[in-house]
């Protein structure tokens, strides 16, 4: 579907100007959009998983652990595939306001792709370098959108997500080094031609929604506050977008239609995307392991 087709459907969760901002800029943030009741439920779940991580020493299919992780001071960089970790995460991804936001941005037929909960710990140097999402999980078109919700208020000091306006209409860049190894980040020579100073930081109170198109260049600075920054991220696409490589972090819900109906014909966007490694064979750690070359 084109943005015009999508916008011809009445909005379910966003204001018309918020949808238009998304299509013009490749991202949008809406302060406090997710109801506090959901923020509290998700925070309770998140805290329970952080507690559980104390008994774990090495990264596994649920937890991506940072180098300083210990039972005393947990350092979980990411809770993977959240929808398979607890039913409440799936309820949120498929039945909350997120489903309406997804329909407002990809059209009435919505396919679920993946979900994760990123933490950004103070002082741990967790910079997320400039990258685009779609090179890791290419689809037949560029409808995929990542929806995020901040579980706590995020100010510039917390290392908010930052997006480069209009970059979704520009090129896709290789996220590999010169030997073809996956780096999960745009290379230095390409970055020279990208105006990273134009990036807009997406800040807001607990419950703030952030929506980022899969082509948009984004990243986040280190967290210089004293508090961890939990950010739950769910990825959706239009039903007529089909992944053409195995997903990096498959879930049991990947490919489920959460609104509307399944598509039988793929929408093919002619703009090219390099093939990533075959994650089903190579395995995938996380954006942190890739960007730090581990
Ligand atoms: O957690 C962040 O600040 C950025 C996350 C992100 O861009 C990603 O996981 O792809």
């Amino acid at each position: 579907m084109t943005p015009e087709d999508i916008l011809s459907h009445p909005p379910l969760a966003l204001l018309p100007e918020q949808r238009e901002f998304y299509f013009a800029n490749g991202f949008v943030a809406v302060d406090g959009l997710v109801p506090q009741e959901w923020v509290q439920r998700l925070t309770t779940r998140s805290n329970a998983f952080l507690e559980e991580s104390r008994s774990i020493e090495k990264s596994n299919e649920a937890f991506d652990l940072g180098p300083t992780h210990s039972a005393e001071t947990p350092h979980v960089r990411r809770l993977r595939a959240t929808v398979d970790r607890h039913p409440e995460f799936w309820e949120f991804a498929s039945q909350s306001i997120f489903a309406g936001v997804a329909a407002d941005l990809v059209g009435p037929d919505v396919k679920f792709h993946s979900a994760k909960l990123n933490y950004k710990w103070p002082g741990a140097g967790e910079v997320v370098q400039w990258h685009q999402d779609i090179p890791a999980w290419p689809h037949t078109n560029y409808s995929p959108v990542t929806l995020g919700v901040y579980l706590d208020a995020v100010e510039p000091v917390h290392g908010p997500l930052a997006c480069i306006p209009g970059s979704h209409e520009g090129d896709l860049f290789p996220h590999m080094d010169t030997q073809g190894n996956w780096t999960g980040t745009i290379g230095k020579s390409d970055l020279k031609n990208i105006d990273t100073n134009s990036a807009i930081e997406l800040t807001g109170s607990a419950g703030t929604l952030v929506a980022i198109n899969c082509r948009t260049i984004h990243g986040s600075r280190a967290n210089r506050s004293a508090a961890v920054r939990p950010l739950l991220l769910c990825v959706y696409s239009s039903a007529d977008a089909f992944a053409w490589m195995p997903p990096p972090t498959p879930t049991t819900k990947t490919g489920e239609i959460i609104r509307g109906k399944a598509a039988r014909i793929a929408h093919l966007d002619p703009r090219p995307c390099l093939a990533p490694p075959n994650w089903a064979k190579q395995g995938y750690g996380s954006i942190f392991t890739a960007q730090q070359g581990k």
Side-chain angles (χ1 to χ4, degrees):
M1 293 184 95
T2 62
E4 293 70 36
D5 292 333
I6 296 167
L7 290 170
S8 71
H9 293 266
L12 299 171
L14 296 177
L15 299 172
E17 57 268 31
Q18 292 164 343
R19 298 169 91 192
E20 278 157 24
F21 187 97
Y22 170 82
F23 287 112
N25 292 281
F27 66 91
V28 69
V30 185
D31 194 83
L33 185 77
V34 174
Q36 287 307 302
E37 190 214 323
W38 257 123
V39 174
Q40 272 153 28
R41 283 173 71 185
L42 296 168
T43 300
T44 303
R45 279 294 136 232
S46 163
N47 289 341
F49 278 102
L50 288 181
E51 269 315 296
E52 188 182 324
S53 78
R54 290 179 190 274
S55 62
I56 287 160
E57 288 176 3
K58 283 204 317 213
S59 296
N60 59 23
E61 65 165 6
F63 294 102
D64 176 51
L65 302 179
T68 62
H69 179 82
S70 68
E72 296 71 42
T73 52
H75 178 187
V76 179
R77 293 187 296 204
R78 176 176 283 178
L79 181 66
R80 297 185 169 121
T82 50
V83 295
D84 289 338
R85 308 277 83 87
H86 194 279
E88 248 176 329
F89 285 122
W90 176 239
E91 188 187 334
F92 178 72
S94 58
Q95 288 167 44
S96 74
I97 193 165
F98 258 31
V101 175
D104 283 347
L105 300 180
V106 307
D109 301 320
V110 181
K111 192 188 279 184
F112 174 80
H113 179 261
S114 57
K116 60 204 174 191
L117 177 47
N118 279 359
Y119 298 90
K120 192 187 270 286
W121 294 84
E126 266 156 33
V127 176
V128 176
Q129 295 168 42
W130 297 112
H131 68 283
Q132 295 161 306
D133 285 338
I134 201 72
W137 27 266
H139 281 60
T140 57
N141 62 53
Y142 298 102
S143 64
V145 60
T146 298
L147 302 186
V149 53
Y150 290 136
L151 300 186
D152 279 324
V154 173
E155 295 172 8
V157 72
H158 298 103
L161 272 164
C163 296
I164 299 187
S167 53
H168 65 311
E169 302 286 14
D171 292 336
L172 284 184
F173 295 96
H175 287 51
M176 295 178 192
D177 64 19
T178 46
Q179 275 85 50
N181 301 306
W182 184 255
T183 59
T185 182
I186 298 173
K188 285 203 178 76
S189 56
D190 286 325
L191 271 181
K192 278 193 217 138
N193 304 319
I194 295 170
D195 181 13
T196 52
N197 289 328
S198 67
I200 295 185
E201 292 199 320
L202 311 183
T203 52
S205 57
T208 292
L209 164 93
V210 296
I212 304 178
N213 178 262
C214 63
R215 296 179 65 98
T216 300
I217 300 173
H218 62 285
S220 60
R221 292 187 286 136
N223 180 354
R224 292 197 184 78
S225 77
V228 64
R229 188 221 64 183
L231 166 62
L232 177 65
L233 297 162
C234 300
V235 182
Y236 306 87
S237 73
S238 58
D240 62 9
F242 290 83
W244 50 265
M245 287 293 282
T249 313
T251 77
T252 57
K253 310 295 187 191
T254 298
E256 271 202 28
I257 301 297
I258 61 150
R259 284 189 78 96
K261 54 185 188 324
R264 301 199 56 201
I265 298 180
H267 169 205
L268 305 176
D269 187 312
R271 289 173 292 174
C273 180
L274 285 176
N278 184 335
W279 304 119
K281 290 199 173 140
Q282 172 170 325
Y284 181 79
S286 71
I287 192 163
F288 307 105
T289 48
Q291 292 192 342
Q292 291 163 19
K294 295 184 185 126

